[in-house]
Amino acid sequence: MVAVIALSVTLVQGAHWYRVFKVPLPVRDTHVVSGQLVLFVSRLAFIIASALFSLVLFRHLPEIDFGLHGNGFVWRGLLLLAVLFSVFCFTTELERLGLALRGQEQTPDNDDRARH
C-alpha cells in the first residue's frame, strides 16, 4: 500500500511540475460562472484533504508506538505530508484554471490580447 501511495504522489508531482513549466493554460474565452465553480471545487477539495489530514493526525497519533518503529513512523509521516502537498498542487492547478476561465490568469495569450 505504501508503494502505491508513493507512486501516486510521484506521478501527481511529476505531472504538476511538468504542467507548471512546460504547458500554458489553453483557455481563450472567459466563462465567469464556470470559473467560479472550478474555484469552489478547488477550495472544497483542499478543505476535505485538510480535514482528512487532521483526522489521521489527531485520531491515530496517540495510538502510534514511537519506541521500536520510530523510523517507520517518520517515513509514513513524510508520505502523509507528501500526499497533502500533492492535493495542494492539484487545488492550485484548479485555482489557476478557475482564474483563467474568469479571465484573470496571466497567460501569454492574455498578454498578447492586452497589447492589441
Side-chain angles (χ1 to χ4, degrees):
M1 181 64 89
V2 173
V4 171
I5 294 172
L7 179 64
S8 300
V9 167
T10 303
L11 289 173
V12 168
Q13 288 297 310
H16 170 73
W17 293 110
Y18 179 79
R19 210 278 328 125
V20 166
F21 290 117
K22 300 286 185 184
V23 181
L25 288 172
V27 177
R28 302 206 188 279
D29 297 328
T30 58
H31 303 282
V32 178
V33 175
S34 298
Q36 284 294 107
L37 289 173
V38 170
L39 285 171
F40 172 73
V41 168
S42 72
R43 300 279 168 94
L44 189 63
F46 195 70
I47 289 170
I48 291 170
S50 299
L52 180 63
F53 177 76
S54 298
L55 176 73
V56 168
L57 186 69
F58 293 125
R59 170 67 175 99
H60 296 289
L61 189 63
E63 298 173 358
I64 297 174
D65 179 22
F66 292 103
L68 299 173
H69 299 87
N71 194 18
F73 170 74
V74 170
W75 284 111
R76 288 182 181 166
L78 289 174
L79 187 60
L80 184 62
L81 287 175
V83 168
L84 188 61
F85 183 70
S86 294
V87 172
F88 168 75
C89 292
F90 174 72
T91 57
T92 302
E93 286 300 309
L94 283 177
E95 285 183 15
R96 290 177 70 183
L97 179 61
L99 290 174
L101 286 170
R102 286 179 21 183
Q104 296 174 335
E105 174 76 14
Q106 292 297 325
T107 62
D109 294 336
N110 289 345
D111 292 340
D112 290 341
R113 278 187 271 166
R115 289 183 198 143
H116 292 99

mmCIF file of all heavy atoms in Angstrom, residues 24-44:
data_model
loop_
_atom_site.group_PDB
_atom_site.id
_atom_site.type_symbol
_atom_site.label_atom_id
_atom_site.label_comp_id
_atom_site.label_asym_id
_atom_site.label_seq_id
_atom_site.Cartn_x
_atom_site.Cartn_y
_atom_site.Cartn_z
ATOM 1 N N PRO A 24 1.210 25.866 -21.207
ATOM 2 C CA PRO A 24 0.382 27.020 -20.842
ATOM 3 C C PRO A 24 -1.092 26.623 -20.747
ATOM 4 O O PRO A 24 -1.520 25.612 -21.301
ATOM 5 C CB PRO A 24 0.602 27.995 -22.001
ATOM 6 C CG PRO A 24 0.954 27.121 -23.152
ATOM 7 C CD PRO A 24 1.692 25.938 -22.570
ATOM 8 N N LEU A 25 -1.848 27.424 -20.030
ATOM 9 C CA LEU A 25 -3.285 27.159 -19.922
ATOM 10 C C LEU A 25 -3.957 27.436 -21.267
ATOM 11 O O LEU A 25 -3.713 28.469 -21.876
ATOM 12 C CB LEU A 25 -3.911 28.039 -18.840
ATOM 13 C CG LEU A 25 -3.565 27.647 -17.419
ATOM 14 C CD1 LEU A 25 -4.083 28.692 -16.452
ATOM 15 C CD2 LEU A 25 -4.142 26.304 -17.083
ATOM 16 N N PRO A 26 -4.827 26.534 -21.739
ATOM 17 C CA PRO A 26 -5.415 26.674 -23.072
ATOM 18 C C PRO A 26 -6.681 27.534 -23.125
ATOM 19 O O PRO A 26 -7.341 27.564 -24.135
ATOM 20 C CB PRO A 26 -5.747 25.222 -23.444
ATOM 21 C CG PRO A 26 -6.065 24.595 -22.132
ATOM 22 C CD PRO A 26 -5.149 25.246 -21.137
ATOM 23 N N VAL A 27 -7.027 28.242 -22.074
ATOM 24 C CA VAL A 27 -8.279 28.995 -22.036
ATOM 25 C C VAL A 27 -8.137 30.266 -22.871
ATOM 26 O O VAL A 27 -7.212 31.034 -22.694
ATOM 27 C CB VAL A 27 -8.656 29.340 -20.583
ATOM 28 C CG1 VAL A 27 -9.907 30.178 -20.546
ATOM 29 C CG2 VAL A 27 -8.826 28.074 -19.778
ATOM 30 N N ARG A 28 -9.078 30.468 -23.802
ATOM 31 C CA ARG A 28 -9.044 31.647 -24.654
ATOM 32 C C ARG A 28 -10.227 32.576 -24.395
ATOM 33 O O ARG A 28 -10.125 33.763 -24.586
ATOM 34 C CB ARG A 28 -9.017 31.241 -26.108
ATOM 35 C CG ARG A 28 -7.832 30.355 -26.437
ATOM 36 C CD ARG A 28 -7.469 30.483 -27.893
ATOM 37 N NE ARG A 28 -6.458 29.519 -28.277
ATOM 38 C CZ ARG A 28 -5.161 29.676 -28.055
ATOM 39 N NH1 ARG A 28 -4.736 30.715 -27.422
ATOM 40 N NH2 ARG A 28 -4.304 28.776 -28.454
ATOM 41 N N ASP A 29 -11.346 32.042 -23.981
ATOM 42 C CA ASP A 29 -12.537 32.836 -23.715
ATOM 43 C C ASP A 29 -12.811 32.850 -22.221
ATOM 44 O O ASP A 29 -12.402 31.967 -21.492
ATOM 45 C CB ASP A 29 -13.752 32.253 -24.448
ATOM 46 C CG ASP A 29 -13.570 32.285 -25.957
ATOM 47 O OD1 ASP A 29 -12.912 33.209 -26.458
ATOM 48 O OD2 ASP A 29 -14.078 31.363 -26.624
ATOM 49 N N THR A 30 -13.551 33.862 -21.790
ATOM 50 C CA THR A 30 -13.896 33.925 -20.369
ATOM 51 C C THR A 30 -15.247 33.264 -20.125
ATOM 52 O O THR A 30 -16.181 33.427 -20.902
ATOM 53 C CB THR A 30 -13.942 35.386 -19.888
ATOM 54 O OG1 THR A 30 -14.890 36.101 -20.663
ATOM 55 C CG2 THR A 30 -12.591 36.040 -20.016
ATOM 56 N N HIS A 31 -15.324 32.506 -19.079
ATOM 57 C CA HIS A 31 -16.540 31.847 -18.616
ATOM 58 C C HIS A 31 -16.592 32.052 -17.105
ATOM 59 O O HIS A 31 -16.068 31.244 -16.342
ATOM 60 C CB HIS A 31 -16.514 30.352 -18.939
ATOM 61 C CG HIS A 31 -16.327 30.056 -20.390
ATOM 62 N ND1 HIS A 31 -17.339 30.149 -21.294
ATOM 63 C CD2 HIS A 31 -15.226 29.689 -21.091
ATOM 64 C CE1 HIS A 31 -16.883 29.835 -22.502
ATOM 65 N NE2 HIS A 31 -15.597 29.555 -22.391
ATOM 66 N N VAL A 32 -17.224 33.136 -16.701
ATOM 67 C CA VAL A 32 -17.182 33.546 -15.298
ATOM 68 C C VAL A 32 -17.834 32.510 -14.385
ATOM 69 O O VAL A 32 -17.288 32.154 -13.337
ATOM 70 C CB VAL A 32 -17.836 34.934 -15.125
ATOM 71 C CG1 VAL A 32 -17.850 35.347 -13.667
ATOM 72 C CG2 VAL A 32 -17.097 35.964 -15.957
ATOM 73 N N VAL A 33 -18.978 31.987 -14.767
ATOM 74 C CA VAL A 33 -19.687 31.028 -13.923
ATOM 75 C C VAL A 33 -18.886 29.736 -13.801
ATOM 76 O O VAL A 33 -18.716 29.191 -12.698
ATOM 77 C CB VAL A 33 -21.115 30.757 -14.469
ATOM 78 C CG1 VAL A 33 -21.806 29.679 -13.668
ATOM 79 C CG2 VAL A 33 -21.935 32.041 -14.468
ATOM 80 N N SER A 34 -18.357 29.246 -14.911
ATOM 81 C CA SER A 34 -17.525 28.031 -14.862
ATOM 82 C C SER A 34 -16.281 28.264 -14.013
ATOM 83 O O SER A 34 -15.864 27.388 -13.252
ATOM 84 C CB SER A 34 -17.109 27.616 -16.270
ATOM 85 O OG SER A 34 -18.232 27.301 -17.042
ATOM 86 N N GLY A 35 -15.689 29.438 -14.136
ATOM 87 C CA GLY A 35 -14.518 29.769 -13.337
ATOM 88 C C GLY A 35 -14.829 29.766 -11.855
ATOM 89 O O GLY A 35 -14.050 29.261 -11.047
ATOM 90 N N GLN A 36 -15.989 30.324 -11.488
ATOM 91 C CA GLN A 36 -16.399 30.318 -10.089
ATOM 92 C C GLN A 36 -16.604 28.901 -9.574
ATOM 93 O O GLN A 36 -16.226 28.575 -8.454
ATOM 94 C CB GLN A 36 -17.694 31.116 -9.903
ATOM 95 C CG GLN A 36 -17.516 32.609 -9.934
ATOM 96 C CD GLN A 36 -16.707 33.108 -8.766
ATOM 97 O OE1 GLN A 36 -15.563 33.491 -8.953
ATOM 98 N NE2 GLN A 36 -17.267 33.106 -7.590
ATOM 99 N N LEU A 37 -17.226 28.044 -10.390
ATOM 100 C CA LEU A 37 -17.452 26.658 -9.978
ATOM 101 C C LEU A 37 -16.140 25.904 -9.786
ATOM 102 O O LEU A 37 -15.981 25.139 -8.838
ATOM 103 C CB LEU A 37 -18.346 25.940 -10.980
ATOM 104 C CG LEU A 37 -19.804 26.380 -10.984
ATOM 105 C CD1 LEU A 37 -20.561 25.712 -12.131
ATOM 106 C CD2 LEU A 37 -20.465 26.075 -9.655
ATOM 107 N N VAL A 38 -15.185 26.124 -10.688
ATOM 108 C CA VAL A 38 -13.878 25.464 -10.564
ATOM 109 C C VAL A 38 -13.147 25.959 -9.315
ATOM 110 O O VAL A 38 -12.526 25.175 -8.588
ATOM 111 C CB VAL A 38 -13.040 25.675 -11.844
ATOM 112 C CG1 VAL A 38 -11.614 25.206 -11.645
ATOM 113 C CG2 VAL A 38 -13.666 24.946 -13.018
ATOM 114 N N LEU A 39 -13.227 27.260 -9.035
ATOM 115 C CA LEU A 39 -12.608 27.795 -7.825
ATOM 116 C C LEU A 39 -13.254 27.199 -6.572
ATOM 117 O O LEU A 39 -12.571 26.879 -5.597
ATOM 118 C CB LEU A 39 -12.719 29.316 -7.797
ATOM 119 C CG LEU A 39 -11.785 30.068 -8.740
ATOM 120 C CD1 LEU A 39 -12.146 31.538 -8.769
ATOM 121 C CD2 LEU A 39 -10.344 29.874 -8.334
ATOM 122 N N PHE A 40 -14.574 27.045 -6.594
ATOM 123 C CA PHE A 40 -15.280 26.433 -5.474
ATOM 124 C C PHE A 40 -14.817 24.996 -5.257
ATOM 125 O O PHE A 40 -14.544 24.583 -4.121
ATOM 126 C CB PHE A 40 -16.791 26.485 -5.714
ATOM 127 C CG PHE A 40 -17.591 25.710 -4.718
ATOM 128 C CD1 PHE A 40 -17.741 26.181 -3.427
ATOM 129 C CD2 PHE A 40 -18.182 24.513 -5.065
ATOM 130 C CE1 PHE A 40 -18.479 25.467 -2.493
ATOM 131 C CE2 PHE A 40 -18.914 23.794 -4.149
ATOM 132 C CZ PHE A 40 -19.063 24.272 -2.859
ATOM 133 N N VAL A 41 -14.721 24.229 -6.324
ATOM 134 C CA VAL A 41 -14.287 22.835 -6.216
ATOM 135 C C VAL A 41 -12.861 22.759 -5.688
ATOM 136 O O VAL A 41 -12.535 21.889 -4.866
ATOM 137 C CB VAL A 41 -14.435 22.114 -7.574
ATOM 138 C CG1 VAL A 41 -13.729 20.776 -7.573
ATOM 139 C CG2 VAL A 41 -15.902 21.944 -7.926
ATOM 140 N N SER A 42 -11.994 23.668 -6.121
ATOM 141 C CA SER A 42 -10.606 23.633 -5.647
ATOM 142 C C SER A 42 -10.528 23.908 -4.154
ATOM 143 O O SER A 42 -9.803 23.232 -3.430
ATOM 144 C CB SER A 42 -9.743 24.629 -6.422
ATOM 145 O OG SER A 42 -10.037 25.957 -6.063
ATOM 146 N N ARG A 43 -11.272 24.879 -3.682
ATOM 147 C CA ARG A 43 -11.264 25.167 -2.243
ATOM 148 C C ARG A 43 -11.877 24.013 -1.454
ATOM 149 O O ARG A 43 -11.383 23.639 -0.387
ATOM 150 C CB ARG A 43 -12.034 26.444 -1.938
ATOM 151 C CG ARG A 43 -11.489 27.664 -2.611
ATOM 152 C CD ARG A 43 -10.309 28.243 -1.855
ATOM 153 N NE ARG A 43 -9.621 29.241 -2.642
ATOM 154 C CZ ARG A 43 -9.854 30.530 -2.584
ATOM 155 N NH1 ARG A 43 -10.768 30.987 -1.772
ATOM 156 N NH2 ARG A 43 -9.168 31.368 -3.339
ATOM 157 N N LEU A 44 -12.956 23.456 -1.965
ATOM 158 C CA LEU A 44 -13.613 22.346 -1.289
ATOM 159 C C LEU A 44 -12.697 21.124 -1.212
ATOM 160 O O LEU A 44 -12.626 20.450 -0.179
ATOM 161 C CB LEU A 44 -14.918 21.995 -1.996
ATOM 162 C CG LEU A 44 -15.841 21.006 -1.313
ATOM 163 C CD1 LEU A 44 -16.306 21.579 0.020
ATOM 164 C CD2 LEU A 44 -17.031 20.716 -2.201
#
